[in-house]
Amino acid sequence: MKLAARDAASHFANPSPASAATLIYGADPMRVALKRQDLVAALVGPMGEEEMRFNRIGAADLRKDPALLTDSLKAQGFFPGPRAVLVEDAGDGVTDAVKAALADWREGDAHLVVTAGTALPPRSSLRKMFETLKNGFAVAIYDNPPTRQELEAALEKAGLTKIDRDAMSDLVALSQALDPGDFRQTLEKLALYSYGQSGAVTSDDVAACAPATIEAGIDDLLHVVAEARTGEIGPLMQRLFGQGTAPVQILIFATRHFRTLYSASCDPGGPGAGIGRARPPIFGPRRDRMLRQAQSWVVPKLAQALQMLTETDLQLRSAGQRAPDMALVERLMIRLARLRDARR
């Protein structure tokens, strides 16, 4: 039986004891592994592996000894409780062994979990077999952001039950920007960060735990430039130069920063809506600061700033360029800072 995304979420959280097997496949091995982890935990509980109620079989071993799967599904352990058998990295080469093992499956046998870290095509014999099972399921995992239901389940699992509205908006944006594994680690970090906190999780809490999207030193420089604080540019450039920061790297981040300001200023919903739609997402105090910057610039000046950044980038890459690269970048930063308040 083929499961839709909504039904799959329910199955992973609370699988029926009458179901015999589940195939999980998709192009992203990390997403497949996380779903498999959720399903196995729901099947055997947190102590399943320690109590020997969970068994792993490699696809290569199964191809050598097809009877291994039938024996594993029917084996009785020393500890009571539901059991599960996992076949990893499966493909069409294990279809016959899986089909034979499931033909003898009876309620009370172990639940079979089969994973394929590739997008099985419709003609795949393994996929077709699972899609036609009456007591088994085939679940395709796509590279889509988590649904609201999946996000709420992940938050509950991490113990994050009190979250204010702004923080929830940040978490939604973060779930769309990060890989599932990185997002899960961020939730775990946030849960530890807010442990014992009486109030709700705030946007500042999320910002403190979110993965860094830009180097702090370059970030400081770009804020100074966008806020037209020309006198502070020199010392910051010297510090970056001393740290060995490459001029091209500063240009890359500067272009991203000003492109974000440009997109926010052009947004039909206003700069606030534009900053909210930025990818990667911007959090906490940095979001407020960039919103103020977008409001203090006009669109033509931001377009001119992007043109100046492009021209300097081409100059740095030119074979005939003789001036020191860092000096060129510092001059550009000063020109950008002066551009905001220059006569229009």
Side-chain angles (χ1 to χ4, degrees), residues 130-216:
F130 269 89
E131 289 179 347
T132 56
L133 284 176
K134 293 182 179 180
N135 61 345
F137 304 99
V139 183
I141 306 299
Y142 300 104
D143 296 347
N144 297 329
T147 63
R148 185 75 178 195
Q149 181 184 6
E150 291 173 331
L151 177 59
E152 290 175 352
L155 292 172
E156 184 178 357
K157 183 177 180 181
L160 297 167
T161 55
K162 296 195 301 183
I163 304 172
D164 69 24
R165 185 177 61 182
D166 291 340
M168 180 58 76
S169 297
D170 291 342
L171 288 171
V172 170
L174 195 61
S175 70
Q176 296 172 349
L178 295 179
D179 290 335
D182 292 337
F183 181 64
R184 180 171 293 194
Q185 289 180 353
T186 300
L187 292 184
E188 293 173 354
K189 183 178 178 181
L190 182 59
L192 289 173
Y193 183 83
S194 58
Y195 180 77
Q197 181 175 296
S198 57
V201 172
T202 66
S203 184
D204 288 347
D205 296 333
V206 176
C209 299
T213 57
I214 189 168
E215 293 186 10

Side-chain angles (χ1 to χ4, degrees), residues 17 19 73-74 76 83 104-111:
S19 61
L73 290 177
K74 294 191 172 296
Q76 296 297 318
R83 296 175 298 108
D104 292 334
W105 189 92
R106 300 292 182 270
E107 191 166 345
D109 292 347
H111 187 99

Side-chain angles (χ1 to χ4, degrees), residues 107-135:
E107 191 166 345
D109 292 347
H111 187 99
L112 173 61
V113 181
V114 180
T115 63
T118 58
L120 297 177
R123 64 179 181 275
S124 165
S125 61
L126 183 65
R127 174 177 166 179
K128 285 182 178 179
M129 190 266 291
F130 269 89
E131 289 179 347
T132 56
L133 284 176
K134 293 182 179 180
N135 61 345

Side-chain angles (χ1 to χ4, degrees), residues 68-109:
L68 185 63
L69 182 56
T70 301
D71 295 340
S72 296
L73 290 177
K74 294 191 172 296
Q76 296 297 318
F78 292 104
F79 297 89
R83 296 175 298 108
V85 176
L86 170 65
V87 177
E88 298 180 286
D89 303 322
D92 290 346
V94 303
T95 302
D96 291 340
V98 171
K99 187 175 183 179
L102 292 179
D104 292 334
W105 189 92
R106 300 292 182 270
E107 191 166 345
D109 292 347

Side-chain angles (χ1 to χ4, degrees), residues 221-272:
L221 171 66
L222 299 181
H223 285 314
V224 164
V225 171
E227 293 163 4
R229 290 152 53 192
T230 311
E232 300 177 39
I233 294 176
L236 287 171
M237 288 293 299
Q238 290 180 5
R239 188 174 73 183
L240 290 172
F241 180 75
Q243 294 173 351
T245 305
V248 172
Q249 187 179 14
I250 297 175
L251 278 183
I252 291 172
F253 285 125
T255 301
R256 183 183 303 170
H257 189 97
F258 276 89
R259 188 178 291 128
T260 300
L261 297 181
Y262 179 81
S263 298
S265 297
C266 294
D267 194 283

Side-chain angles (χ1 to χ4, degrees), residues 274-298:
I275 290 292
R277 278 191 272 268
R279 294 295 178 272
I282 306 169
F283 302 100
R286 182 168 179 258
R287 176 177 56 191
D288 297 336
R289 195 170 182 181
M290 290 191 69
L291 175 57
R292 291 194 297 269
Q293 292 168 12
Q295 292 169 338
S296 67
W297 283 74
V298 294

